Amino acid sequence: RAVSTYNLPCAPTKKGLKSIGRAGLRVAAKAINFGIPYGQGAEAFVRKCLEEGVHVTAEECQAVIDSYYRDYAQVKLFLDECEERSQDPRWVSGSFKSYRRVPATSERAVIGEQKRQFRNFTIQNGVAESVNDMLHNFLEYRKAFSPDELSYQLLMQIHDSVILLVPYKHVDRVYNEVMDHCMTELAEFRPRRLD
């Protein structure tokens, strides 16, 4: 994102930006990609970058935001629609038929928070529900084999990460076969309208 925004003479990689002394722009671009669904603005990204020891200007961050919305115009329309739905009809549906509802209010701070939550809900809900499906896939896939053929335990889920305990003799198979099958081939994505 940073390389294309500023038309920089380097590879669009961490190493490329570092080679021209602009590694900080990668941190800003990454923060922006993840922060846009939260409704964060240029000043918030400047603060986030400073927390990581990177100095960028609000103008640099705003240029990346503008570039993002120029390249992905439908994202802005989608996020704006999410915000609007927070006030009318005050509910939104996620990809897996989960709902987020809010009460009517006239308090500006509460309305702002409701809008932020609705911008974020469909994305976070989609990821969370997809991971739940993947966990189910892991459990079901394992049932088809004896413990000698294939063995692993699900230890923990942290956001969109899954931690497995795998006997050494099965590591390659789990990595090369099970992960791909359960997290890619069997994974469903269910695009939906917000209602």
Side-chain angles (χ1 to χ4, degrees):
R1 173 89 7 234
V3 171
S4 65
T5 298
Y6 298 106
N7 198 25
L8 298 173
C10 66
T13 63
K14 183 178 187 178
K15 197 175 193 178
L17 284 166
K18 189 174 183 180
S19 73
I20 63 167
R22 299 303 305 264
L25 288 178
R26 179 184 180 276
V27 173
K30 187 176 177 183
I32 289 165
N33 280 337
F34 287 102
I36 281 177
Y38 292 97
Q40 295 175 341
E43 294 295 334
F45 296 125
V46 169
R47 287 190 301 275
K48 185 177 279 294
C49 289
L50 282 174
E51 289 172 5
E52 295 188 36
V54 174
H55 298 278
V56 292
T57 67
E59 291 77 22
E60 288 172 322
C61 289
Q62 189 59 53
V64 176
I65 293 168
D66 294 344
S67 164
Y68 182 97
Y69 283 137
R70 189 172 42 253
D71 292 348
Y72 306 106
Q74 293 299 311
V75 171
K76 178 154 182 32
L77 295 174
F78 173 77
L79 294 173
D80 288 348
E81 185 180 351
C82 289
E83 281 190 17
E84 290 167 12
R85 289 188 65 85
S86 74
Q87 300 310 296
D88 183 29
R90 296 192 322 272
W91 63 267
V92 68
S93 175
S95 296
F96 295 80
K97 297 186 181 177
S98 296
Y99 289 84
R100 176 73 177 105
R101 295 175 176 85
V102 293
T105 183
S106 59
E107 294 183 43
R108 285 182 38 178
V110 175
I111 291 170
E113 178 60 18
Q114 290 173 341
K115 288 180 176 183
R116 186 200 66 74
Q117 288 179 14
F118 272 53
R119 285 174 67 100
N120 184 45
F121 173 79
T122 55
I123 297 164
Q124 291 294 328
N125 174 259
V127 171
E129 294 291 345
S130 293
V131 171
N132 284 342
D133 275 359
M134 290 174 205
L135 292 172
H136 174 77
N137 296 342
F138 278 113
L139 295 172
E140 291 301 310
Y141 191 78
R142 186 179 61 192
K143 290 178 182 178
F145 303 94
S146 74
D148 289 335
E149 293 175 292
L150 181 64
S151 177
Y152 56 86
Q153 289 178 299
L154 292 170
L155 290 185
M156 183 184 304
Q157 171 200 349
I158 303 170
H159 301 294
D160 59 353
S161 299
V162 177
I163 299 174
L164 303 173
L165 179 62
V166 183
Y168 185 75
K169 68 181 182 177
H170 296 151
V171 168
D172 286 339
R173 184 170 183 197
V174 168
Y175 183 75
N176 294 313
E177 174 190 326
V178 178
M179 299 287 286
D180 187 51
H181 187 69
C182 293
M183 296 182 80
T184 305
E185 294 170 16
L186 294 178
E188 288 188 59
F189 179 74
R190 302 173 190 164
R192 297 172 42 94
R193 293 296 307 148
L194 295 171
D195 56 2

PDB file of all heavy atoms in Angstrom, residues 75-93:
ATOM      1  N   VAL A  75     -15.347  -0.709  -0.389  1.00  0.00           N
ATOM      2  CA  VAL A  75     -15.154  -0.863   1.056  1.00  0.00           C
ATOM      3  C   VAL A  75     -15.751   0.338   1.781  1.00  0.00           C
ATOM      4  O   VAL A  75     -16.454   0.187   2.780  1.00  0.00           O
ATOM      5  CB  VAL A  75     -13.662  -1.040   1.422  1.00  0.00           C
ATOM      6  CG1 VAL A  75     -13.447  -0.978   2.922  1.00  0.00           C
ATOM      7  CG2 VAL A  75     -13.130  -2.349   0.867  1.00  0.00           C
ATOM      8  N   LYS A  76     -15.480   1.537   1.272  1.00  0.00           N
ATOM      9  CA  LYS A  76     -16.035   2.728   1.913  1.00  0.00           C
ATOM     10  C   LYS A  76     -17.557   2.705   1.891  1.00  0.00           C
ATOM     11  O   LYS A  76     -18.206   3.002   2.899  1.00  0.00           O
ATOM     12  CB  LYS A  76     -15.512   3.997   1.247  1.00  0.00           C
ATOM     13  CG  LYS A  76     -16.108   5.255   1.873  1.00  0.00           C
ATOM     14  CD  LYS A  76     -15.236   6.439   1.717  1.00  0.00           C
ATOM     15  CE  LYS A  76     -15.746   7.704   2.348  1.00  0.00           C
ATOM     16  NZ  LYS A  76     -16.537   7.618   3.537  1.00  0.00           N
ATOM     17  N   LEU A  77     -18.140   2.334   0.756  1.00  0.00           N
ATOM     18  CA  LEU A  77     -19.604   2.252   0.674  1.00  0.00           C
ATOM     19  C   LEU A  77     -20.151   1.231   1.667  1.00  0.00           C
ATOM     20  O   LEU A  77     -21.161   1.480   2.339  1.00  0.00           O
ATOM     21  CB  LEU A  77     -20.035   1.890  -0.747  1.00  0.00           C
ATOM     22  CG  LEU A  77     -19.729   2.927  -1.826  1.00  0.00           C
ATOM     23  CD1 LEU A  77     -20.076   2.379  -3.203  1.00  0.00           C
ATOM     24  CD2 LEU A  77     -20.464   4.228  -1.553  1.00  0.00           C
ATOM     25  N   PHE A  78     -19.483   0.093   1.772  1.00  0.00           N
ATOM     26  CA  PHE A  78     -19.907  -0.956   2.711  1.00  0.00           C
ATOM     27  C   PHE A  78     -19.835  -0.453   4.156  1.00  0.00           C
ATOM     28  O   PHE A  78     -20.782  -0.609   4.928  1.00  0.00           O
ATOM     29  CB  PHE A  78     -19.029  -2.195   2.527  1.00  0.00           C
ATOM     30  CG  PHE A  78     -19.265  -3.257   3.547  1.00  0.00           C
ATOM     31  CD1 PHE A  78     -20.371  -4.084   3.465  1.00  0.00           C
ATOM     32  CD2 PHE A  78     -18.377  -3.439   4.595  1.00  0.00           C
ATOM     33  CE1 PHE A  78     -20.599  -5.070   4.422  1.00  0.00           C
ATOM     34  CE2 PHE A  78     -18.592  -4.419   5.547  1.00  0.00           C
ATOM     35  CZ  PHE A  78     -19.700  -5.241   5.458  1.00  0.00           C
ATOM     36  N   LEU A  79     -18.706   0.145   4.524  1.00  0.00           N
ATOM     37  CA  LEU A  79     -18.536   0.620   5.898  1.00  0.00           C
ATOM     38  C   LEU A  79     -19.508   1.755   6.215  1.00  0.00           C
ATOM     39  O   LEU A  79     -20.044   1.830   7.326  1.00  0.00           O
ATOM     40  CB  LEU A  79     -17.086   1.041   6.138  1.00  0.00           C
ATOM     41  CG  LEU A  79     -16.066  -0.096   6.088  1.00  0.00           C
ATOM     42  CD1 LEU A  79     -14.650   0.448   6.172  1.00  0.00           C
ATOM     43  CD2 LEU A  79     -16.322  -1.128   7.175  1.00  0.00           C
ATOM     44  N   ASP A  80     -19.760   2.629   5.237  1.00  0.00           N
ATOM     45  CA  ASP A  80     -20.757   3.694   5.444  1.00  0.00           C
ATOM     46  C   ASP A  80     -22.148   3.093   5.672  1.00  0.00           C
ATOM     47  O   ASP A  80     -22.897   3.552   6.537  1.00  0.00           O
ATOM     48  CB  ASP A  80     -20.799   4.645   4.244  1.00  0.00           C
ATOM     49  CG  ASP A  80     -19.569   5.545   4.166  1.00  0.00           C
ATOM     50  OD1 ASP A  80     -18.800   5.608   5.144  1.00  0.00           O
ATOM     51  OD2 ASP A  80     -19.383   6.176   3.098  1.00  0.00           O
ATOM     52  N   GLU A  81     -22.468   2.056   4.906  1.00  0.00           N
ATOM     53  CA  GLU A  81     -23.774   1.401   5.083  1.00  0.00           C
ATOM     54  C   GLU A  81     -23.865   0.755   6.471  1.00  0.00           C
ATOM     55  O   GLU A  81     -24.917   0.814   7.122  1.00  0.00           O
ATOM     56  CB  GLU A  81     -24.001   0.348   3.998  1.00  0.00           C
ATOM     57  CG  GLU A  81     -25.381  -0.272   4.053  1.00  0.00           C
ATOM     58  CD  GLU A  81     -25.621  -1.321   2.972  1.00  0.00           C
ATOM     59  OE1 GLU A  81     -24.798  -1.472   2.055  1.00  0.00           O
ATOM     60  OE2 GLU A  81     -26.663  -2.006   3.080  1.00  0.00           O
ATOM     61  N   CYS A  82     -22.773   0.160   6.933  1.00  0.00           N
ATOM     62  CA  CYS A  82     -22.761  -0.419   8.287  1.00  0.00           C
ATOM     63  C   CYS A  82     -23.070   0.661   9.320  1.00  0.00           C
ATOM     64  O   CYS A  82     -23.890   0.454  10.216  1.00  0.00           O
ATOM     65  CB  CYS A  82     -21.393  -1.045   8.593  1.00  0.00           C
ATOM     66  SG  CYS A  82     -21.042  -2.551   7.686  1.00  0.00           S
ATOM     67  N   GLU A  83     -22.411   1.813   9.193  1.00  0.00           N
ATOM     68  CA  GLU A  83     -22.644   2.913  10.130  1.00  0.00           C
ATOM     69  C   GLU A  83     -24.102   3.366  10.098  1.00  0.00           C
ATOM     70  O   GLU A  83     -24.717   3.582  11.141  1.00  0.00           O
ATOM     71  CB  GLU A  83     -21.738   4.101   9.800  1.00  0.00           C
ATOM     72  CG  GLU A  83     -20.331   3.953  10.283  1.00  0.00           C
ATOM     73  CD  GLU A  83     -19.549   5.255  10.152  1.00  0.00           C
ATOM     74  OE1 GLU A  83     -20.161   6.336   9.988  1.00  0.00           O
ATOM     75  OE2 GLU A  83     -18.320   5.178  10.230  1.00  0.00           O
ATOM     76  N   GLU A  84     -24.643   3.543   8.909  1.00  0.00           N
ATOM     77  CA  GLU A  84     -26.032   3.996   8.773  1.00  0.00           C
ATOM     78  C   GLU A  84     -26.991   3.016   9.442  1.00  0.00           C
ATOM     79  O   GLU A  84     -27.956   3.423  10.095  1.00  0.00           O
ATOM     80  CB  GLU A  84     -26.389   4.155   7.296  1.00  0.00           C
ATOM     81  CG  GLU A  84     -25.685   5.322   6.625  1.00  0.00           C
ATOM     82  CD  GLU A  84     -25.788   5.284   5.110  1.00  0.00           C
ATOM     83  OE1 GLU A  84     -26.593   4.485   4.566  1.00  0.00           O
ATOM     84  OE2 GLU A  84     -25.051   6.051   4.460  1.00  0.00           O
ATOM     85  N   ARG A  85     -26.719   1.734   9.309  1.00  0.00           N
ATOM     86  CA  ARG A  85     -27.605   0.721   9.891  1.00  0.00           C
ATOM     87  C   ARG A  85     -27.590   0.760  11.422  1.00  0.00           C
ATOM     88  O   ARG A  85     -28.524   0.290  12.062  1.00  0.00           O
ATOM     89  CB  ARG A  85     -27.222  -0.673   9.391  1.00  0.00           C
ATOM     90  CG  ARG A  85     -27.581  -0.884   7.917  1.00  0.00           C
ATOM     91  CD  ARG A  85     -27.363  -2.318   7.530  1.00  0.00           C
ATOM     92  NE  ARG A  85     -28.271  -3.196   8.234  1.00  0.00           N
ATOM     93  CZ  ARG A  85     -29.521  -3.481   7.862  1.00  0.00           C
ATOM     94  NH1 ARG A  85     -30.015  -2.941   6.761  1.00  0.00           N
ATOM     95  NH2 ARG A  85     -30.266  -4.297   8.560  1.00  0.00           N
ATOM     96  N   SER A  86     -26.538   1.333  12.002  1.00  0.00           N
ATOM     97  CA  SER A  86     -26.495   1.409  13.465  1.00  0.00           C
ATOM     98  C   SER A  86     -27.592   2.313  14.008  1.00  0.00           C
ATOM     99  O   SER A  86     -28.001   2.174  15.163  1.00  0.00           O
ATOM    100  CB  SER A  86     -25.126   1.899  13.944  1.00  0.00           C
ATOM    101  OG  SER A  86     -24.968   3.288  13.705  1.00  0.00           O
ATOM    102  N   GLN A  87     -28.097   3.226  13.162  1.00  0.00           N
ATOM    103  CA  GLN A  87     -29.144   4.144  13.602  1.00  0.00           C
ATOM    104  C   GLN A  87     -30.506   3.806  13.008  1.00  0.00           C
ATOM    105  O   GLN A  87     -31.535   4.151  13.575  1.00  0.00           O
ATOM    106  CB  GLN A  87     -28.742   5.576  13.259  1.00  0.00           C
ATOM    107  CG  GLN A  87     -27.437   5.996  13.919  1.00  0.00           C
ATOM    108  CD  GLN A  87     -27.398   5.696  15.409  1.00  0.00           C
ATOM    109  OE1 GLN A  87     -28.189   6.255  16.171  1.00  0.00           O
ATOM    110  NE2 GLN A  87     -26.517   4.821  15.832  1.00  0.00           N
ATOM    111  N   ASP A  88     -30.509   3.140  11.879  1.00  0.00           N
ATOM    112  CA  ASP A  88     -31.762   2.705  11.273  1.00  0.00           C
ATOM    113  C   ASP A  88     -31.457   1.575  10.308  1.00  0.00           C
ATOM    114  O   ASP A  88     -30.761   1.813   9.322  1.00  0.00           O
ATOM    115  CB  ASP A  88     -32.441   3.863  10.542  1.00  0.00           C
ATOM    116  CG  ASP A  88     -33.791   3.471   9.956  1.00  0.00           C
ATOM    117  OD1 ASP A  88     -34.451   2.566  10.524  1.00  0.00           O
ATOM    118  OD2 ASP A  88     -34.177   4.071   8.934  1.00  0.00           O
ATOM    119  N   PRO A  89     -31.822   0.370  10.644  1.00  0.00           N
ATOM    120  CA  PRO A  89     -32.817  -0.127  11.592  1.00  0.00           C
ATOM    121  C   PRO A  89     -32.249  -0.516  12.966  1.00  0.00           C
ATOM    122  O   PRO A  89     -32.926  -1.140  13.751  1.00  0.00           O
ATOM    123  CB  PRO A  89     -33.364  -1.352  10.890  1.00  0.00           C
ATOM    124  CG  PRO A  89     -32.199  -1.904  10.147  1.00  0.00           C
ATOM    125  CD  PRO A  89     -31.415  -0.691   9.712  1.00  0.00           C
ATOM    126  N   ARG A  90     -31.000  -0.179  13.259  1.00  0.00           N
ATOM    127  CA  ARG A  90     -30.313  -0.450  14.531  1.00  0.00           C
ATOM    128  C   ARG A  90     -29.942  -1.927  14.702  1.00  0.00           C
ATOM    129  O   ARG A  90     -29.812  -2.405  15.813  1.00  0.00           O
ATOM    130  CB  ARG A  90     -31.114   0.058  15.729  1.00  0.00           C
ATOM    131  CG  ARG A  90     -31.272   1.553  15.753  1.00  0.00           C
ATOM    132  CD  ARG A  90     -31.810   2.103  17.056  1.00  0.00           C
ATOM    133  NE  ARG A  90     -32.824   1.299  17.694  1.00  0.00           N
ATOM    134  CZ  ARG A  90     -34.134   1.377  17.465  1.00  0.00           C
ATOM    135  NH1 ARG A  90     -34.580   2.259  16.601  1.00  0.00           N
ATOM    136  NH2 ARG A  90     -34.978   0.624  18.108  1.00  0.00           N
ATOM    137  N   TRP A  91     -29.759  -2.633  13.601  1.00  0.00           N
ATOM    138  CA  TRP A  91     -29.255  -4.002  13.653  1.00  0.00           C
ATOM    139  C   TRP A  91     -28.553  -4.311  12.337  1.00  0.00           C
ATOM    140  O   TRP A  91     -28.797  -3.686  11.312  1.00  0.00           O
ATOM    141  CB  TRP A  91     -30.347  -5.035  13.938  1.00  0.00           C
ATOM    142  CG  TRP A  91     -31.411  -5.125  12.890  1.00  0.00           C
ATOM    143  CD1 TRP A  91     -32.598  -4.447  12.871  1.00  0.00           C
ATOM    144  CD2 TRP A  91     -31.395  -5.926  11.704  1.00  0.00           C
ATOM    145  NE1 TRP A  91     -33.319  -4.767  11.757  1.00  0.00           N
ATOM    146  CE2 TRP A  91     -32.608  -5.675  11.007  1.00  0.00           C
ATOM    147  CE3 TRP A  91     -30.499  -6.823  11.143  1.00  0.00           C
ATOM    148  CZ2 TRP A  91     -32.923  -6.296   9.806  1.00  0.00           C
ATOM    149  CZ3 TRP A  91     -30.809  -7.445   9.948  1.00  0.00           C
ATOM    150  CH2 TRP A  91     -32.009  -7.182   9.293  1.00  0.00           C
ATOM    151  N   VAL A  92     -27.656  -5.278  12.414  1.00  0.00           N
ATOM    152  CA  VAL A  92     -26.938  -5.740  11.223  1.00  0.00           C
ATOM    153  C   VAL A  92     -26.721  -7.236  11.372  1.00  0.00           C
ATOM    154  O   VAL A  92     -26.621  -7.753  12.487  1.00  0.00           O
ATOM    155  CB  VAL A  92     -25.596  -4.973  11.046  1.00  0.00           C
ATOM    156  CG1 VAL A  92     -24.606  -5.320  12.130  1.00  0.00           C
ATOM    157  CG2 VAL A  92     -24.991  -5.215   9.682  1.00  0.00           C
ATOM    158  N   SER A  93     -26.685  -7.932  10.255  1.00  0.00           N
ATOM    159  CA  SER A  93     -26.477  -9.378  10.258  1.00  0.00           C
ATOM    160  C   SER A  93     -25.086  -9.693   9.744  1.00  0.00           C
ATOM    161  O   SER A  93     -24.634  -9.108   8.761  1.00  0.00           O
ATOM    162  CB  SER A  93     -27.520 -10.049   9.361  1.00  0.00           C
ATOM    163  OG  SER A  93     -27.263 -11.433   9.252  1.00  0.00           O
TER     164      SER A  93
END
